[in-house]
Amino acid sequence: MTPRVTSGLDPSTVLAEVDRLRAAGDRPTLALAFCGPDQDLDVLRAALVSRGMAVVGASTAGEIADASLTEDGIALLLLDAPKDAFSVWSDRRAEGETSATVAERLGRFAADRYADPVVITFGSGLTTDGEAVVNGVQAGAGRPVTLFGGLAGDNLRMVETRVASSSDVLTDGLVGLVLDGARIETQGLATSGWQPVGVEKTVTRSEGNVVFELDGESVLDVYGDTFGIEGLRDPEASIVMDIGVQFPLSIRRDDGTSVIRAPLFPAPGTGGLVFAGGVPEGGRVRFCVPPSLDIVERVVAQASALRDRAPAPDAVLLVACKARHTALGPIAEDEVEALYRLWGAPLVGYFSYGEIGAQHGGACDFHNETCSILTLRERV
């Protein structure tokens, strides 16, 4: 595949570059489009479709194009992938449906299309349960499939997020780009660089993504006492988002891997704390502390191992958590630049409200405060 990356601050600028590339002989068949919340994703989608491209994309909390970061801009990856080597899928979540039910339909679609499917999926960020998407796709496919993606963002406004396919833009749904793994080779990695500290605690009471007790004590009191934070019981307290950025939980999985969960806000009237993903009752967790300056080195070291075990890719996709971006500050730019230079291939992505990918040696999972990386290469 011949990849092209183009970016800009408005659709007209980006589309002008697309037209220049096409006039020079490029014939892209597929566009991955990531746009800030003030951009008209539907207008961009329609314009790309009219130029002969299938489209998959999402609204963002920041865009990534090669080594450059923007806010409320547009980042596009154009690929001349064989048309029979990919399929685009989308569906709304009907009233009363769960995210898992919608994801199961995507999994069945993927398994029916290809013997070895690779699923790249984006969900509406404020209404989609990312962990349920991971489980639903695998259940629908009936076998393990490579899975990558994330939840859409809206620059932390928490008002509306969107996902796009060739046919429509959804505010409550799921889109999927399904690749034929026999034709397009992928390698993936989810890595955070966060370091857990202290002794493990047990989640003694939780429901879905709401935690009420750790080691039999109120989760709000445990957080407050551990980090000397007051005011956590105020449902309007912005401090909860701050601790989500600085002090997430690390959940130890049975296979030895771990996932990061960031607290979002108190559950009104319950004494619970809402997290950006499921936290199982009985789970073993540790607190994480703000990242040190070597976090980029840790992430790049893991990404280097991914690079070294696979041929050079045609392109790289990156979905990184917005809370991670906030925690790292300017270091986030260093991290993106280091990943771009690591492969030296066109790189496109966005800052998300949750990431989907597999850690080294582990199964696919839903993450917070993590970078999820996927490399793409057409098999020849």
Side-chain angles (χ1 to χ4, degrees):
M1 293 181 294
T2 301
R4 304 291 188 192
V5 170
T6 182
S7 61
L9 298 178
D10 60 81
S12 60
T13 300
V14 171
L15 291 170
E17 177 62 13
V18 171
D19 289 339
R20 187 193 69 78
L21 292 169
R22 295 174 73 240
D26 281 13
R27 290 294 178 265
T29 57
L30 175 62
L32 283 89
F34 304 112
C35 302
D38 288 335
Q39 302 291 341
D40 195 327
L41 183 54
D42 196 35
V43 166
L44 181 64
R45 175 203 64 80
L48 293 168
V49 169
S50 72
R51 288 162 170 81
M53 285 169 264
V55 177
V56 173
S59 64
T60 74
E63 305 78 45
I64 302 167
D66 290 336
S68 299
L69 310 184
T70 58
E71 287 191 2
D72 212 23
I74 298 170
L76 288 183
L77 174 64
L78 308 179
L79 296 168
D80 59 349
K83 291 186 177 181
D84 60 351
F86 69 88
S87 300
V88 172
W89 176 96
S90 68
D91 204 355
R92 287 179 170 83
R93 186 165 67 92
E95 185 175 353
E97 278 194 320
T98 65
S99 297
T101 301
V102 182
E104 286 176 12
R105 293 199 287 271
L106 171 56
R108 288 193 294 271
F109 173 85
D112 289 344
R113 290 293 295 169
Y114 306 112
D116 181 22
V118 175
V119 179
I120 299 171
T121 184
F122 305 111
S124 45
L126 302 180
T127 59
T128 299
D129 180 338
E131 192 165 11
V133 168
V134 172
N135 295 334
V137 169
Q138 305 288 14
R143 58 184 186 271
V145 298
T146 300
L147 187 58
F148 168 87
L151 302 184
D154 67 346
N155 279 351
L156 297 181
R157 297 173 188 176
M158 302 299 176
V159 175
E160 180 181 87
T161 63
R162 296 162 288 158
V163 291
S165 69
S166 303
S167 58
D168 50 19
V169 171
L170 308 176
T171 57
D172 188 2
L174 201 64
V175 300
L177 171 62
V178 182
L179 306 176
D180 181 358
R183 305 282 302 281
I184 299 176
E185 180 182 3
T186 61
Q187 296 284 335
L189 174 69
T191 177
S192 73
W194 286 87
Q195 295 295 303
V197 297
V199 299
E200 279 193 338
K201 297 181 181 297
T202 300
V203 180
T204 45
R205 190 159 75 92
S206 69
E207 294 178 7
N209 66 330
V210 182
V211 176
F212 300 96
E213 294 179 358
L214 297 176
D215 285 346
E217 299 182 47
S218 162
V219 64
L220 296 177
D221 291 343
V222 173
Y223 256 104
D225 293 345
T226 301
F227 299 110
I229 303 170
E230 298 180 355
L232 291 182
R233 293 185 180 275
D234 180 357
E236 303 299 326
S238 62
I239 189 66
V240 177
M241 180 64 77
D242 295 338
I243 68 169
V245 169
Q246 299 295 334
F247 307 115
L249 286 182
S250 174
I251 305 173
R252 177 164 57 87
R253 297 298 201 198
D254 291 340
D255 64 1
T257 62
S258 61
V259 294
I260 304 296
R261 288 288 181 263
L264 296 176
F265 48 83
T270 70
L273 190 56
V274 178
F275 283 75
V279 181
E281 191 166 288
R284 302 291 292 173
V285 301
R286 294 168 70 188
F287 290 116
C288 295
V289 296
S292 57
L293 293 177
D294 66 350
I295 188 170
V296 173
E297 285 75 12
R298 292 200 298 272
V299 167
V300 171
Q302 291 195 45
S304 296
L306 175 69
R307 178 201 60 186
D308 293 344
R309 69 173 183 256
D314 297 328
V316 180
L317 299 178
L318 174 63
V319 177
C321 186
K322 182 59 177 179
R324 177 188 183 83
H325 185 197
T326 303
L328 295 183
I331 299 175
E333 297 180 20
D334 297 337
E335 183 170 79
V336 170
E337 181 176 3
L339 291 172
Y340 170 63
R341 295 190 183 283
L342 184 65
W343 278 281
L347 182 151
V348 160
Y350 73 104
F351 290 103
S352 68
Y353 289 171
E355 304 76 54
I356 294 172
Q359 298 178 75
H360 179 64
C364 184
D365 215 324
F366 175 69
H367 308 267
N368 304 140
E369 309 226 22
T370 294
C371 293
S372 188
I373 304 162
L374 188 74
T375 65
L376 306 172
R377 174 179 173 269
E378 185 177 1
R379 298 182 189 271
V380 295

